[in-house]
Short mmCIF file of all heavy atoms in Angstrom, two decimals:
data_model
loop_
_atom_site.label_atom_id
_atom_site.label_comp_id
_atom_site.label_asym_id
_atom_site.label_seq_id
_atom_site.Cartn_x
_atom_site.Cartn_y
_atom_site.Cartn_z
N HIS A 42 3.75 26.73 -8.71
CA HIS A 42 3.81 27.44 -9.98
C HIS A 42 4.27 26.49 -11.07
O HIS A 42 4.82 25.43 -10.81
CB HIS A 42 4.78 28.63 -9.89
CG HIS A 42 4.49 29.57 -8.76
ND1 HIS A 42 3.47 30.49 -8.79
CD2 HIS A 42 5.09 29.70 -7.54
CE1 HIS A 42 3.45 31.15 -7.65
NE2 HIS A 42 4.43 30.69 -6.88
N GLY A 43 4.06 26.88 -12.29
CA GLY A 43 4.57 26.14 -13.42
C GLY A 43 3.74 24.93 -13.78
O GLY A 43 2.60 24.75 -13.33
N ARG A 44 4.35 24.07 -14.58
CA ARG A 44 3.66 22.89 -15.09
C ARG A 44 3.22 21.97 -13.95
O ARG A 44 4.00 21.62 -13.08
CB ARG A 44 4.58 22.11 -16.03
CG ARG A 44 3.91 20.93 -16.71
CD ARG A 44 4.90 20.18 -17.61
NE ARG A 44 4.24 19.12 -18.34
CZ ARG A 44 4.87 18.22 -19.09
NH1 ARG A 44 6.19 18.27 -19.18
NH2 ARG A 44 4.20 17.29 -19.74
N GLY A 45 1.96 21.58 -13.99
CA GLY A 45 1.44 20.65 -13.00
C GLY A 45 0.92 21.29 -11.73
O GLY A 45 0.49 20.59 -10.81
N ALA A 46 0.96 22.62 -11.64
CA ALA A 46 0.52 23.29 -10.41
C ALA A 46 -0.96 23.02 -10.14
O ALA A 46 -1.34 22.64 -9.03
CB ALA A 46 0.79 24.78 -10.50
N ASP A 47 -1.80 23.24 -11.15
CA ASP A 47 -3.23 23.01 -10.96
C ASP A 47 -3.51 21.54 -10.66
O ASP A 47 -4.39 21.22 -9.84
CB ASP A 47 -4.01 23.44 -12.21
CG ASP A 47 -4.04 24.96 -12.37
OD1 ASP A 47 -3.72 25.66 -11.40
OD2 ASP A 47 -4.39 25.42 -13.47
N PHE A 48 -2.76 20.66 -11.32
CA PHE A 48 -2.93 19.23 -11.07
C PHE A 48 -2.59 18.89 -9.62
O PHE A 48 -3.31 18.15 -8.96
CB PHE A 48 -2.03 18.44 -12.03
CG PHE A 48 -2.01 16.96 -11.77
CD1 PHE A 48 -3.03 16.15 -12.23
CD2 PHE A 48 -0.97 16.37 -11.06
CE1 PHE A 48 -3.02 14.78 -11.97
CE2 PHE A 48 -0.94 15.02 -10.81
CZ PHE A 48 -1.97 14.22 -11.27
N SER A 49 -1.48 19.43 -9.12
CA SER A 49 -1.06 19.16 -7.75
C SER A 49 -2.08 19.66 -6.74
O SER A 49 -2.38 19.00 -5.74
CB SER A 49 0.30 19.80 -7.47
OG SER A 49 1.30 19.21 -8.26
#
Side-chain angles (χ1 to χ4, degrees):
H42 306 283
R44 185 182 185 187
D47 289 345
F48 174 80
S49 295

